[in-house]
Amino acid sequence: MTTPRHFIDLWKLDGATLRLMLDDAHARKTARKGWPQGKVDADAPAKDRVLSMIFQKNSTRTRFSFDAAMRQLGGSAIISTSNDMQLGRGETIEDTAKVLSRMVDAVMIRANSHADVERFAQVSTVPVINGLTDKSHPCQIMADILTIEEHRGPIAGKTIAWVGDGNNVCSSFIHAAPLLGFELKIACPAVYHADLHDLARAESLQGRVSMGTDAKEAVKGADVVVADTWVSMGDTDHDERLAALEPYQVDDKLMDLAAGNGVFLHCLPAHRGEEVTDEVLDGPRSLVWDEAENRIHAQKSVLAWAFGAIG
Ligand code: CP
Ligand code: NVA
């Protein structure tokens, strides 16, 4: 049996594969401009395919974008929260993976623990896609890069400033940096620093990734400024986080330090008035709505790749 094409972390893939998916996403998006959302792409690369989605945590964008993506690719999706499944009553990850492998063509999981997604993939005979874990959010970064390239051209050589918690989304940016050739400057409080293994891996791949505590320093001259919530799903130290992260709010003054045509990204949901002000989120430098839409386009190409339709 050949190993399924899992999409669990960007660092497990190579730059050429990510490039292939991004190019496919750009082309697919352009080709269907003006079409109704439910119309199927001309090549229908997921025709007759079924994706199952399992959610252990809340979601708006991931849930709707994967469902819409499957429809646009000519396939369909089955969605469930883990609590509605026997998984929520103690059936093992491995047994669930074996059963779903007999019923669907791919599985997307949003899990509390990254290790659970790895365990699922170990046993699954169909592709497994990480829809966010405590450790990473690779689908989000594919959509973010698609958005940056649409507005500012090739990602290679760009500088991205990550401001705030060194969290799961930050990790996926670290994974992507050496593979796609952009510079990543992280500014976070020392207590909420980015994953040190991820940083070490990026360094070993000659990635240009740095981490400090000064938001202004990171944003100075950056092409893209990225923020995310200070309290991710599963975090329990809400008050401590708000106190430590307060100096990392992205406001217009901070954005003014970015490159002249610097843009702002946020995976959403945003906590307005915490990590970002209304003026930035709703302002002319914000690309967050395109970014949200691009979850569909980027994931269609991840799915097309997983199904073997591209690459
Ligand atoms: N950005 C993102 O993954 O959003 P959801 O939590 O709504 O899926
Ligand atoms: N870092 C956030 C991202 C939400 C899409 C979280 O994990 O809650």
Side-chain angles (χ1 to χ4, degrees), residues 219-284:
V219 169
K220 211 180 293 165
D223 301 296
V224 185
V225 178
V226 193
D228 186 15
T229 180
W230 292 340
V231 187
S232 284
M233 293 180 277
D235 286 338
T236 49
D237 50 350
H238 177 272
D239 294 353
E240 291 88 333
R241 286 178 163 273
L242 258 54
L245 283 149
E246 207 218 302
Y248 295 85
Q249 183 183 72
V250 178
D251 58 14
D252 265 341
K253 231 170 99 196
L254 189 65
M255 283 302 298
D256 285 343
L257 299 175
N261 59 355
V263 293
F264 175 75
L265 293 183
H266 189 309
C267 66
L268 305 177
H271 297 73
R272 290 167 177 269
E274 291 183 11
E275 73 272 8
V276 61
T277 59
D278 285 340
E279 59 186 3
V280 170
L281 199 69
D282 301 322

Short mmCIF file of all heavy atoms in Angstrom, two decimals, residues 219-284:
data_model
loop_
_atom_site.label_atom_id
_atom_site.label_comp_id
_atom_site.label_asym_id
_atom_site.label_seq_id
_atom_site.Cartn_x
_atom_site.Cartn_y
_atom_site.Cartn_z
N VAL A 219 8.45 44.84 13.24
CA VAL A 219 7.57 45.39 12.20
C VAL A 219 8.30 46.35 11.26
O VAL A 219 7.92 46.50 10.10
CB VAL A 219 6.35 46.10 12.87
CG1 VAL A 219 5.55 46.92 11.88
CG2 VAL A 219 5.46 45.06 13.56
N LYS A 220 9.38 46.95 11.76
CA LYS A 220 10.10 47.96 10.96
C LYS A 220 10.44 47.43 9.55
O LYS A 220 11.19 46.47 9.41
CB LYS A 220 11.40 48.35 11.69
CG LYS A 220 11.79 49.79 11.42
CD LYS A 220 13.08 50.16 12.16
CE LYS A 220 12.92 50.17 13.69
NZ LYS A 220 14.22 50.18 14.40
N GLY A 221 9.85 48.04 8.53
CA GLY A 221 10.16 47.68 7.14
C GLY A 221 9.51 46.39 6.65
O GLY A 221 9.76 45.98 5.52
N ALA A 222 8.67 45.76 7.48
CA ALA A 222 8.08 44.47 7.07
C ALA A 222 7.05 44.67 5.96
O ALA A 222 6.35 45.68 5.91
CB ALA A 222 7.43 43.78 8.26
N ASP A 223 6.96 43.69 5.08
CA ASP A 223 5.96 43.72 4.01
C ASP A 223 4.58 43.31 4.53
O ASP A 223 3.56 43.71 3.99
CB ASP A 223 6.35 42.75 2.88
CG ASP A 223 7.70 43.11 2.28
OD1 ASP A 223 7.81 44.20 1.70
OD2 ASP A 223 8.66 42.31 2.41
N VAL A 224 4.61 42.45 5.54
CA VAL A 224 3.36 41.90 6.08
C VAL A 224 3.46 41.87 7.60
O VAL A 224 4.50 41.46 8.14
CB VAL A 224 3.14 40.44 5.58
CG1 VAL A 224 1.78 39.91 6.05
CG2 VAL A 224 3.26 40.35 4.07
N VAL A 225 2.41 42.30 8.27
CA VAL A 225 2.35 42.21 9.73
C VAL A 225 1.20 41.26 10.07
O VAL A 225 0.10 41.40 9.54
CB VAL A 225 2.09 43.59 10.38
CG1 VAL A 225 2.00 43.48 11.89
CG2 VAL A 225 3.19 44.58 9.97
N VAL A 226 1.50 40.28 10.93
CA VAL A 226 0.49 39.28 11.27
C VAL A 226 0.24 39.25 12.77
O VAL A 226 1.20 39.25 13.56
CB VAL A 226 0.92 37.85 10.82
CG1 VAL A 226 -0.26 36.90 10.90
CG2 VAL A 226 1.50 37.86 9.44
N ALA A 227 -1.03 39.21 13.15
CA ALA A 227 -1.39 39.04 14.56
C ALA A 227 -2.38 37.90 14.68
O ALA A 227 -3.01 37.50 13.70
CB ALA A 227 -2.01 40.34 15.10
N ASP A 228 -2.51 37.40 15.90
CA ASP A 228 -3.52 36.36 16.18
C ASP A 228 -3.98 36.59 17.62
O ASP A 228 -3.36 37.36 18.37
CB ASP A 228 -2.90 34.96 16.00
CG ASP A 228 -3.92 33.83 16.14
OD1 ASP A 228 -5.15 34.10 16.09
OD2 ASP A 228 -3.50 32.67 16.31
N THR A 229 -5.04 35.91 17.98
CA THR A 229 -5.55 36.03 19.35
C THR A 229 -4.45 35.81 20.39
O THR A 229 -3.52 35.04 20.16
CB THR A 229 -6.70 35.02 19.59
OG1 THR A 229 -7.17 35.18 20.91
CG2 THR A 229 -6.25 33.59 19.39
N TRP A 230 -4.59 36.46 21.52
CA TRP A 230 -3.63 36.24 22.61
C TRP A 230 -3.99 35.02 23.44
O TRP A 230 -3.20 34.53 24.23
CB TRP A 230 -3.60 37.49 23.52
CG TRP A 230 -3.00 38.69 22.84
CD1 TRP A 230 -2.19 38.70 21.74
CD2 TRP A 230 -3.16 40.05 23.22
NE1 TRP A 230 -1.84 39.98 21.41
CE2 TRP A 230 -2.43 40.84 22.31
CE3 TRP A 230 -3.86 40.70 24.24
CZ2 TRP A 230 -2.36 42.23 22.39
CZ3 TRP A 230 -3.81 42.08 24.32
CH2 TRP A 230 -3.05 42.83 23.40
N VAL A 231 -5.23 34.57 23.28
CA VAL A 231 -5.69 33.40 24.06
C VAL A 231 -6.28 32.38 23.07
O VAL A 231 -7.39 32.55 22.59
CB VAL A 231 -6.77 33.79 25.10
CG1 VAL A 231 -7.10 32.60 25.99
CG2 VAL A 231 -6.31 34.99 25.93
N SER A 232 -5.50 31.37 22.78
CA SER A 232 -5.96 30.37 21.81
C SER A 232 -6.90 29.38 22.48
O SER A 232 -6.93 29.25 23.71
CB SER A 232 -4.76 29.61 21.24
OG SER A 232 -4.07 30.41 20.30
N MET A 233 -7.65 28.65 21.65
CA MET A 233 -8.54 27.62 22.18
C MET A 233 -7.72 26.61 22.99
O MET A 233 -6.69 26.13 22.51
CB MET A 233 -9.25 26.91 21.02
CG MET A 233 -10.21 27.82 20.27
SD MET A 233 -11.04 26.99 18.90
CE MET A 233 -9.80 27.11 17.60
N GLY A 234 -8.14 26.37 24.19
CA GLY A 234 -7.41 25.43 25.06
C GLY A 234 -6.51 26.13 26.07
O GLY A 234 -6.11 25.53 27.07
N ASP A 235 -6.17 27.41 25.84
CA ASP A 235 -5.34 28.14 26.81
C ASP A 235 -6.19 28.46 28.05
O ASP A 235 -7.35 28.87 27.93
CB ASP A 235 -4.83 29.46 26.22
CG ASP A 235 -3.73 29.25 25.19
OD1 ASP A 235 -3.08 28.19 25.23
OD2 ASP A 235 -3.52 30.14 24.35
N THR A 236 -5.59 28.29 29.21
CA THR A 236 -6.37 28.49 30.44
C THR A 236 -5.92 29.73 31.22
O THR A 236 -6.60 30.16 32.14
CB THR A 236 -6.23 27.25 31.35
OG1 THR A 236 -4.85 26.94 31.47
CG2 THR A 236 -6.99 26.06 30.77
N ASP A 237 -4.78 30.31 30.86
CA ASP A 237 -4.23 31.44 31.61
C ASP A 237 -4.61 32.78 30.97
O ASP A 237 -3.74 33.59 30.63
CB ASP A 237 -2.70 31.30 31.73
CG ASP A 237 -2.03 31.01 30.39
OD1 ASP A 237 -2.76 30.73 29.40
OD2 ASP A 237 -0.79 31.08 30.32
N HIS A 238 -5.89 33.01 30.85
CA HIS A 238 -6.42 34.18 30.14
C HIS A 238 -5.86 35.50 30.67
O HIS A 238 -5.32 36.31 29.90
CB HIS A 238 -7.95 34.16 30.25
CG HIS A 238 -8.63 35.33 29.61
ND1 HIS A 238 -8.87 36.51 30.29
CD2 HIS A 238 -9.09 35.52 28.35
CE1 HIS A 238 -9.46 37.36 29.47
NE2 HIS A 238 -9.62 36.79 28.31
N ASP A 239 -5.96 35.74 31.97
CA ASP A 239 -5.57 37.04 32.52
C ASP A 239 -4.06 37.28 32.39
O ASP A 239 -3.63 38.38 32.05
CB ASP A 239 -6.00 37.15 33.99
CG ASP A 239 -7.52 37.15 34.11
OD1 ASP A 239 -8.21 37.21 33.07
OD2 ASP A 239 -8.03 37.07 35.25
N GLU A 240 -3.28 36.25 32.66
CA GLU A 240 -1.82 36.37 32.55
C GLU A 240 -1.44 36.71 31.10
O GLU A 240 -0.54 37.52 30.84
CB GLU A 240 -1.12 35.06 32.93
CG GLU A 240 -1.21 34.69 34.40
CD GLU A 240 -2.47 33.89 34.73
OE1 GLU A 240 -3.49 34.02 34.02
OE2 GLU A 240 -2.42 33.15 35.73
N ARG A 241 -2.12 36.09 30.17
CA ARG A 241 -1.82 36.33 28.75
C ARG A 241 -2.13 37.78 28.36
O ARG A 241 -1.32 38.43 27.71
CB ARG A 241 -2.63 35.37 27.87
CG ARG A 241 -2.10 33.99 27.91
CD ARG A 241 -2.90 33.02 27.10
NE ARG A 241 -2.05 31.86 26.91
CZ ARG A 241 -1.16 31.73 25.94
NH1 ARG A 241 -1.07 32.66 25.01
NH2 ARG A 241 -0.38 30.69 25.89
N LEU A 242 -3.30 38.24 28.77
CA LEU A 242 -3.67 39.61 28.42
C LEU A 242 -2.66 40.61 28.99
O LEU A 242 -2.28 41.57 28.32
CB LEU A 242 -5.09 39.92 28.89
CG LEU A 242 -6.15 39.88 27.78
CD1 LEU A 242 -6.15 38.57 27.02
CD2 LEU A 242 -7.53 40.17 28.34
N ALA A 243 -2.22 40.36 30.21
CA ALA A 243 -1.26 41.27 30.84
C ALA A 243 0.08 41.24 30.09
O ALA A 243 0.65 42.29 29.76
CB ALA A 243 -1.06 40.89 32.30
N ALA A 244 0.57 40.04 29.78
CA ALA A 244 1.89 39.93 29.15
C ALA A 244 1.88 40.41 27.70
O ALA A 244 2.89 40.91 27.18
CB ALA A 244 2.37 38.47 29.19
N LEU A 245 0.73 40.27 27.03
CA LEU A 245 0.69 40.55 25.60
C LEU A 245 0.24 41.97 25.26
O LEU A 245 0.30 42.39 24.10
CB LEU A 245 -0.18 39.50 24.90
CG LEU A 245 0.57 38.17 24.75
CD1 LEU A 245 -0.37 36.97 24.79
CD2 LEU A 245 1.36 38.14 23.43
N GLU A 246 -0.18 42.70 26.25
CA GLU A 246 -0.69 44.06 26.01
C GLU A 246 0.23 44.93 25.15
O GLU A 246 -0.24 45.64 24.25
CB GLU A 246 -0.97 44.72 27.36
CG GLU A 246 -2.04 45.77 27.27
CD GLU A 246 -1.70 46.94 28.16
OE1 GLU A 246 -1.54 46.72 29.38
OE2 GLU A 246 -1.56 48.05 27.63
N PRO A 247 1.56 44.89 25.35
CA PRO A 247 2.43 45.73 24.50
C PRO A 247 2.49 45.28 23.04
O PRO A 247 3.17 45.92 22.23
CB PRO A 247 3.82 45.58 25.15
CG PRO A 247 3.60 44.93 26.47
CD PRO A 247 2.31 44.18 26.39
N TYR A 248 1.79 44.21 22.70
CA TYR A 248 1.90 43.67 21.34
C TYR A 248 0.65 43.95 20.49
O TYR A 248 0.46 43.35 19.45
CB TYR A 248 2.18 42.16 21.41
CG TYR A 248 3.52 41.90 22.03
CD1 TYR A 248 3.66 41.83 23.42
CD2 TYR A 248 4.67 41.79 21.25
CE1 TYR A 248 4.89 41.62 24.01
CE2 TYR A 248 5.90 41.58 21.83
CZ TYR A 248 6.02 41.51 23.21
OH TYR A 248 7.25 41.32 23.79
N GLN A 249 -0.16 44.90 20.94
CA GLN A 249 -1.34 45.24 20.13
C GLN A 249 -0.88 45.88 18.81
O GLN A 249 -0.01 46.76 18.80
CB GLN A 249 -2.23 46.23 20.88
CG GLN A 249 -3.49 46.56 20.09
CD GLN A 249 -4.35 47.60 20.79
OE1 GLN A 249 -4.00 48.78 20.83
NE2 GLN A 249 -5.46 47.15 21.35
N VAL A 250 -1.51 45.45 17.71
CA VAL A 250 -1.21 46.07 16.42
C VAL A 250 -2.20 47.22 16.19
O VAL A 250 -3.41 47.00 16.04
CB VAL A 250 -1.29 45.04 15.27
CG1 VAL A 250 -1.02 45.72 13.93
CG2 VAL A 250 -0.30 43.91 15.50
N ASP A 251 -1.67 48.43 16.20
CA ASP A 251 -2.50 49.62 15.93
C ASP A 251 -1.88 50.36 14.74
O ASP A 251 -0.84 49.95 14.20
CB ASP A 251 -2.64 50.51 17.18
CG ASP A 251 -1.29 50.96 17.72
OD1 ASP A 251 -0.27 50.83 17.00
OD2 ASP A 251 -1.24 51.46 18.86
N ASP A 252 -2.52 51.45 14.34
CA ASP A 252 -2.04 52.17 13.16
C ASP A 252 -0.61 52.67 13.34
O ASP A 252 0.17 52.73 12.38
CB ASP A 252 -2.98 53.35 12.84
CG ASP A 252 -4.02 52.97 11.79
OD1 ASP A 252 -3.81 51.97 11.06
OD2 ASP A 252 -5.06 53.65 11.71
N LYS A 253 -0.28 53.04 14.59
CA LYS A 253 1.07 53.57 14.84
C LYS A 253 2.12 52.49 14.57
O LYS A 253 3.18 52.75 13.97
CB LYS A 253 1.17 54.05 16.30
CG LYS A 253 1.73 55.46 16.40
CD LYS A 253 1.61 56.03 17.79
CE LYS A 253 2.92 55.89 18.52
NZ LYS A 253 2.84 56.06 19.95
N LEU A 254 1.82 51.27 15.01
CA LEU A 254 2.76 50.17 14.76
C LEU A 254 2.80 49.87 13.26
O LEU A 254 3.88 49.68 12.68
CB LEU A 254 2.34 48.93 15.55
CG LEU A 254 3.35 47.77 15.56
CD1 LEU A 254 4.65 48.15 16.26
CD2 LEU A 254 2.75 46.53 16.23
N MET A 255 1.64 49.86 12.62
CA MET A 255 1.59 49.57 11.18
C MET A 255 2.36 50.61 10.37
O MET A 255 2.92 50.29 9.31
CB MET A 255 0.14 49.52 10.68
CG MET A 255 -0.63 48.24 11.01
SD MET A 255 0.10 46.70 10.39
CE MET A 255 0.07 46.93 8.63
N ASP A 256 2.42 51.83 10.88
CA ASP A 256 3.16 52.88 10.16
C ASP A 256 4.65 52.56 10.04
O ASP A 256 5.35 53.12 9.20
CB ASP A 256 2.98 54.23 10.86
CG ASP A 256 1.59 54.81 10.61
OD1 ASP A 256 0.91 54.34 9.67
OD2 ASP A 256 1.18 55.72 11.37
N LEU A 257 5.14 51.68 10.90
CA LEU A 257 6.56 51.31 10.85
C LEU A 257 6.86 50.28 9.76
O LEU A 257 8.02 50.05 9.39
CB LEU A 257 7.02 50.74 12.19
CG LEU A 257 6.91 51.66 13.41
CD1 LEU A 257 7.29 50.91 14.68
CD2 LEU A 257 7.82 52.88 13.23
N ALA A 258 5.79 49.62 9.28
CA ALA A 258 5.98 48.60 8.24
C ALA A 258 6.41 49.27 6.94
O ALA A 258 6.44 50.50 6.83
CB ALA A 258 4.67 47.83 8.04
N ALA A 259 6.72 48.47 5.93
CA ALA A 259 7.07 49.02 4.61
C ALA A 259 5.91 49.88 4.11
O ALA A 259 4.77 49.70 4.55
CB ALA A 259 7.34 47.87 3.64
N GLY A 260 6.19 50.79 3.19
CA GLY A 260 5.19 51.74 2.70
C GLY A 260 3.89 51.10 2.28
O GLY A 260 2.81 51.62 2.51
N ASN A 261 3.99 49.92 1.64
CA ASN A 261 2.75 49.24 1.21
C ASN A 261 2.50 48.00 2.07
O ASN A 261 1.95 47.00 1.60
CB ASN A 261 2.81 48.90 -0.28
CG ASN A 261 3.99 47.99 -0.58
OD1 ASN A 261 4.82 47.70 0.30
ND2 ASN A 261 4.08 47.53 -1.81
N GLY A 262 2.94 48.06 3.33
CA GLY A 262 2.80 46.92 4.24
C GLY A 262 1.33 46.57 4.48
O GLY A 262 0.49 47.46 4.57
N VAL A 263 1.04 45.27 4.58
CA VAL A 263 -0.34 44.83 4.76
C VAL A 263 -0.48 44.07 6.08
O VAL A 263 0.50 43.63 6.68
CB VAL A 263 -0.80 43.93 3.60
CG1 VAL A 263 -0.88 44.73 2.31
CG2 VAL A 263 0.11 42.72 3.43
N PHE A 264 -1.74 43.93 6.51
CA PHE A 264 -2.03 43.28 7.78
C PHE A 264 -2.83 41.99 7.56
O PHE A 264 -3.80 42.00 6.80
CB PHE A 264 -2.82 44.22 8.69
CG PHE A 264 -3.25 43.57 9.98
CD1 PHE A 264 -2.32 43.35 11.00
CD2 PHE A 264 -4.56 43.15 10.17
CE1 PHE A 264 -2.71 42.72 12.19
CE2 PHE A 264 -4.95 42.52 11.35
CZ PHE A 264 -4.02 42.32 12.36
N LEU A 265 -2.43 40.93 8.23
CA LEU A 265 -3.16 39.66 8.19
C LEU A 265 -3.53 39.20 9.59
O LEU A 265 -2.82 39.47 10.57
CB LEU A 265 -2.31 38.56 7.54
CG LEU A 265 -1.94 38.66 6.06
CD1 LEU A 265 -1.15 37.41 5.66
CD2 LEU A 265 -3.18 38.80 5.18
N HIS A 266 -4.64 38.49 9.68
CA HIS A 266 -5.08 37.88 10.95
C HIS A 266 -5.94 36.69 10.55
O HIS A 266 -6.87 36.84 9.75
CB HIS A 266 -5.89 38.91 11.74
CG HIS A 266 -6.23 38.49 13.14
ND1 HIS A 266 -6.81 37.29 13.45
CD2 HIS A 266 -6.07 39.14 14.33
CE1 HIS A 266 -6.99 37.21 14.77
NE2 HIS A 266 -6.55 38.31 15.32
N CYS A 267 -5.68 35.52 11.11
CA CYS A 267 -6.42 34.32 10.69
C CYS A 267 -7.88 34.38 11.07
O CYS A 267 -8.70 33.69 10.48
CB CYS A 267 -5.75 33.07 11.25
SG CYS A 267 -5.82 32.94 13.06
N LEU A 268 -8.21 35.21 12.04
CA LEU A 268 -9.57 35.35 12.59
C LEU A 268 -9.99 34.06 13.33
O LEU A 268 -9.54 33.00 12.92
CB LEU A 268 -10.59 35.71 11.52
CG LEU A 268 -10.28 36.97 10.68
CD1 LEU A 268 -11.35 37.15 9.59
CD2 LEU A 268 -10.22 38.21 11.55
N PRO A 269 -10.80 34.07 14.35
CA PRO A 269 -11.51 35.24 14.84
C PRO A 269 -10.59 36.23 15.56
O PRO A 269 -9.67 35.82 16.29
CB PRO A 269 -12.53 34.65 15.82
CG PRO A 269 -11.93 33.36 16.28
CD PRO A 269 -11.12 32.85 15.14
N ALA A 270 -10.89 37.54 15.36
CA ALA A 270 -10.12 38.60 16.01
C ALA A 270 -10.79 39.00 17.32
O ALA A 270 -12.01 38.90 17.46
CB ALA A 270 -10.05 39.80 15.09
N HIS A 271 -9.99 39.43 18.23
CA HIS A 271 -10.49 40.01 19.48
C HIS A 271 -10.18 41.49 19.38
O HIS A 271 -9.09 41.94 19.75
CB HIS A 271 -9.83 39.32 20.68
CG HIS A 271 -10.19 37.86 20.71
ND1 HIS A 271 -9.64 36.98 19.83
CD2 HIS A 271 -11.07 37.18 21.46
CE1 HIS A 271 -10.18 35.78 20.04
NE2 HIS A 271 -11.04 35.89 21.02
N ARG A 272 -11.16 42.20 18.83
CA ARG A 272 -11.00 43.63 18.55
C ARG A 272 -10.68 44.38 19.84
O ARG A 272 -11.33 44.18 20.87
CB ARG A 272 -12.27 44.18 17.90
CG ARG A 272 -12.50 43.66 16.48
CD ARG A 272 -13.92 43.96 16.01
NE ARG A 272 -14.14 43.54 14.62
CZ ARG A 272 -13.95 44.33 13.57
NH1 ARG A 272 -13.58 45.59 13.74
NH2 ARG A 272 -14.14 43.88 12.36
N GLY A 273 -9.68 45.23 19.76
CA GLY A 273 -9.29 45.99 20.95
C GLY A 273 -8.26 45.26 21.81
O GLY A 273 -7.72 45.82 22.76
N GLU A 274 -7.98 44.00 21.49
CA GLU A 274 -6.90 43.28 22.18
C GLU A 274 -5.70 43.22 21.21
O GLU A 274 -4.95 44.19 21.13
CB GLU A 274 -7.36 41.90 22.63
CG GLU A 274 -8.39 41.99 23.77
CD GLU A 274 -8.84 40.66 24.30
OE1 GLU A 274 -8.26 39.61 23.97
OE2 GLU A 274 -9.82 40.67 25.09
N GLU A 275 -5.55 42.13 20.48
CA GLU A 275 -4.35 42.01 19.64
C GLU A 275 -4.35 42.97 18.46
O GLU A 275 -3.30 43.25 17.88
CB GLU A 275 -4.16 40.57 19.15
CG GLU A 275 -5.12 40.10 18.08
CD GLU A 275 -6.42 39.52 18.63
OE1 GLU A 275 -6.61 39.63 19.85
OE2 GLU A 275 -7.22 38.98 17.85
N VAL A 276 -5.52 43.49 18.08
CA VAL A 276 -5.59 44.43 16.95
C VAL A 276 -6.71 45.44 17.19
O VAL A 276 -7.75 45.11 17.76
CB VAL A 276 -5.79 43.67 15.61
CG1 VAL A 276 -7.10 42.89 15.60
CG2 VAL A 276 -5.73 44.62 14.41
N THR A 277 -6.47 46.67 16.72
CA THR A 277 -7.51 47.70 16.85
C THR A 277 -8.47 47.60 15.67
O THR A 277 -8.13 47.08 14.61
CB THR A 277 -6.87 49.10 16.85
OG1 THR A 277 -6.14 49.26 15.61
CG2 THR A 277 -5.93 49.29 18.02
N ASP A 278 -9.66 48.18 15.85
CA ASP A 278 -10.64 48.25 14.75
C ASP A 278 -10.04 48.98 13.55
O ASP A 278 -10.28 48.60 12.41
CB ASP A 278 -11.89 49.02 15.20
CG ASP A 278 -12.76 48.19 16.13
OD1 ASP A 278 -12.62 46.96 16.13
OD2 ASP A 278 -13.57 48.79 16.86
N GLU A 279 -9.28 50.06 13.85
CA GLU A 279 -8.76 50.88 12.74
C GLU A 279 -7.85 50.08 11.82
O GLU A 279 -7.86 50.28 10.60
CB GLU A 279 -8.04 52.13 13.28
CG GLU A 279 -6.88 51.80 14.19
CD GLU A 279 -6.22 52.99 14.87
OE1 GLU A 279 -6.70 54.11 14.70
OE2 GLU A 279 -5.23 52.76 15.59
N VAL A 280 -7.10 49.14 12.38
CA VAL A 280 -6.23 48.32 11.53
C VAL A 280 -7.04 47.22 10.85
O VAL A 280 -6.97 47.03 9.63
CB VAL A 280 -5.07 47.70 12.35
CG1 VAL A 280 -4.32 46.66 11.51
CG2 VAL A 280 -4.11 48.78 12.82
N LEU A 281 -7.86 46.52 11.63
CA LEU A 281 -8.62 45.39 11.08
C LEU A 281 -9.54 45.83 9.95
O LEU A 281 -9.69 45.14 8.94
CB LEU A 281 -9.44 44.73 12.20
CG LEU A 281 -9.93 43.31 11.91
CD1 LEU A 281 -8.77 42.32 11.87
CD2 LEU A 281 -10.94 42.88 12.97
N ASP A 282 -10.18 46.98 10.12
CA ASP A 282 -11.13 47.47 9.12
C ASP A 282 -10.50 48.50 8.17
O ASP A 282 -11.19 49.06 7.32
CB ASP A 282 -12.34 48.13 9.81
CG ASP A 282 -13.06 47.15 10.73
OD1 ASP A 282 -13.16 45.97 10.35
OD2 ASP A 282 -13.50 47.55 11.83
N GLY A 283 -9.21 48.74 8.33
CA GLY A 283 -8.55 49.80 7.57
C GLY A 283 -8.04 49.34 6.22
O GLY A 283 -8.14 48.16 5.86
N PRO A 284 -7.46 50.25 5.46
CA PRO A 284 -7.04 49.96 4.08
C PRO A 284 -5.87 48.98 3.97
O PRO A 284 -5.65 48.40 2.91
CB PRO A 284 -6.63 51.34 3.54
CG PRO A 284 -6.33 52.17 4.75
CD PRO A 284 -7.22 51.66 5.84
#
